[in-house]
Amino acid sequence: MSARIFSGEREAAGIDPANRGLAYGDGLFETMRVHRAGVPLWSRHLARLREGARRLRIALPSADFIEARIADAIAGCDAGVLKLLLTRGEGGRGYAPPAAAEPVWLLSRHALPASPAAGLRLHWCEMRLASQPALAGIKHCNRLEQVLARAEAEAAGCDEGLLRGIAGDAIGATSANLLVLHGGRWLTPPVDACGVAGVLRGWLLERGLAEVADLAPDAVESADAVALCNAVRGILPVASLGARAWAPHPAFNELRSGLAMAYPMFAEDRGAA
């Protein structure tokens, strides 16, 4: 991993112990796929980052400056993952945000995770996602629900954990959005009370390839096919959820082929998944 840290538009040597992201999770992050020294989904990540900064009232460096630093960070990188972490900056003890804090943010580059050799095994998590519309959709840094849920899934010997909201409907996996096939239509849960509005989920919705619908657990388990999607790994098939198993479905291949035509980086992953 390589990383660079910035305070506003000045490079910094490290993270101050008084950083509010460290103390309170007062910040945002984006995890992006790098392909041939570029970030093909950058405009979508930037839009979500801007929305998150607006909601949390965190100052954001200029897009030109961020983009220049991203270009530096991924120069010569054919395939990988880039994480952008934005915090409000330094502040004293206590929750009240400083009136004029300078944002502190960092860029870190990581290896691309291997594509799974088979469909994913999912586990229904006991952990529930709390409802908070003010934070729903954005990628804020308070992720303890996902941390505990992922630990549940790993303890169960599964690849991912499937999370429900307080009311009991499915919301998504710990690090991916949920796609469920019913009657030839791909459905994905709403994320206006909790969960993350993934950039690939948004792409699918804009093109009419998926639609938003409430999904009770039995609607997931009775689906013709289930998949997960995120910006790093694309669209991945689900093979099982507890005792329920799914065989490969032609509609999944059609959906992933459409994504690969728009974003060729995901075509390169298809053989291994």
Side-chain angles (χ1 to χ4, degrees):
M1 181 188 77
S2 60
R4 294 177 69 184
I5 302 168
F6 302 89
S7 179
E9 297 191 357
R10 305 186 310 277
E11 191 153 6
I15 299 291
D16 191 297
N19 186 278
R20 290 180 59 86
L22 180 63
Y24 306 118
D26 191 358
L28 304 157
F29 70 100
E30 293 289 332
T31 308
M32 301 167 278
R33 175 75 174 255
V34 177
H35 180 67
R36 298 180 182 175
V39 181
L41 289 163
W42 167 243
S43 63
R44 294 178 173 273
H45 286 289
L46 178 60
R48 186 172 58 188
L49 182 66
R50 283 174 164 160
E51 172 61 14
R54 183 193 67 80
R55 288 201 219 168
L56 299 187
R57 300 179 184 178
I58 294 178
L60 191 63
S62 72
D64 287 345
F65 184 81
I66 294 174
E67 289 165 4
R69 301 293 78 74
I70 286 176
D72 293 341
I74 63 177
C77 179
D78 187 59
V81 177
L82 184 70
K83 182 170 183 177
L84 188 158
L85 175 62
L86 170 72
T87 77
R88 193 179 303 275
E90 284 85 41
R93 193 191 67 81
Y95 292 135
E102 186 169 49
V104 172
W105 56 288
L106 64 87
L107 291 170
S108 57
R109 201 174 87 187
H110 310 261
L112 187 67
S115 294
L120 300 174
R121 298 162 299 160
L122 301 190
H123 167 75
W124 280 119
C125 293
E126 292 299 321
M127 170 62 62
R128 299 290 182 98
L129 291 176
S131 295
Q132 179 46 270
L135 299 176
I138 62 175
K139 293 198 76 170
H140 57 78
C141 290
N142 294 279
R143 293 290 151 190
L144 283 177
E145 293 167 325
Q146 286 79 5
V147 169
L148 294 176
R150 190 56 179 262
E152 272 191 62
E154 294 200 356
C158 292
D159 302 302
E160 251 286 15
L162 196 57
L163 287 153
R164 290 163 284 186
I166 295 299
D169 283 352
I171 300 298
T174 65
S175 58
N177 287 118
L178 174 66
L179 299 169
V180 172
L181 184 68
H182 272 286
R185 300 182 304 157
W186 286 100
L187 309 176
T188 188
V191 292
D192 50 0
C194 57
V196 173
V199 299
L200 276 192
R201 174 184 180 274
W203 183 86
L204 291 168
L205 291 172
E206 287 177 11
R207 279 153 184 77
L209 299 173
E211 56 190 270
V212 175
D214 293 326
L215 292 170
D218 60 354
V220 178
E221 294 176 359
S222 65
D224 300 318
V226 175
L228 299 183
C229 68
N230 70 21
V232 170
R233 305 179 80 183
I235 304 174
L236 298 178
V238 170
S240 64
L241 172 59
R244 177 67 163 97
W246 287 275
H249 196 286
F252 171 80
N253 292 329
E254 292 174 10
L255 188 68
R256 192 160 60 171
S257 294
L259 175 65
M261 288 181 64
Y263 295 104
M265 59 191 178
F266 296 120
E268 298 172 9
D269 299 339
R270 294 172 61 191

